[in-house]
Amino acid sequence: MKRYRCDDCRETSQVCLTDAAYWTEARRHRNIAHTGLIPDGERAIDVPVARLLDIPRGQAVASVILFLVVVGAVLAR
């Protein structure tokens, strides 16, 4: 996932989920704001993706306990 950034115009796109969407956004901006030319301040910003390991330990423990309680309640019926 990336965001298109033009430092010359100080504009940043919404998150582009695919490379094709990123390049479409880059072409769109170039054509509208720079008459098709590539600006010097153009760059791609990588959007960090949350990983399972990024969850705080206490929250992960609480989630596992809650999951086990729900599973135990379902099995007890």
Side-chain angles (χ1 to χ4, degrees):
M1 293 192 309
K2 298 178 184 177
R3 297 178 83 179
Y4 173 80
R5 172 74 182 165
C6 179
D7 288 333
D8 293 351
C9 298
R10 297 183 179 153
E11 291 185 14
T12 305
S13 72
Q14 297 295 323
V15 174
C16 300
L17 299 177
T18 63
D19 284 344
Y22 170 80
W23 288 111
T24 299
E25 181 63 28
R27 274 194 304 276
R28 184 198 65 78
H29 177 77
R30 290 175 190 164
N31 290 333
I32 292 172
H34 303 285
T35 63
L37 300 175
I38 300 173
D40 289 339
E42 178 180 88
R43 61 190 169 106
I45 299 172
D46 288 321
V47 177
V49 178
R51 299 176 303 157
L52 188 58
L53 296 175
D54 294 336
I55 298 173
R57 185 177 304 235
Q59 185 177 353
V61 169
S63 297
V64 168
I65 291 170
L66 181 61
F67 175 74
L68 293 174
V69 168
V70 169
V71 168
V74 169
L75 292 176
R77 287 186 172 203

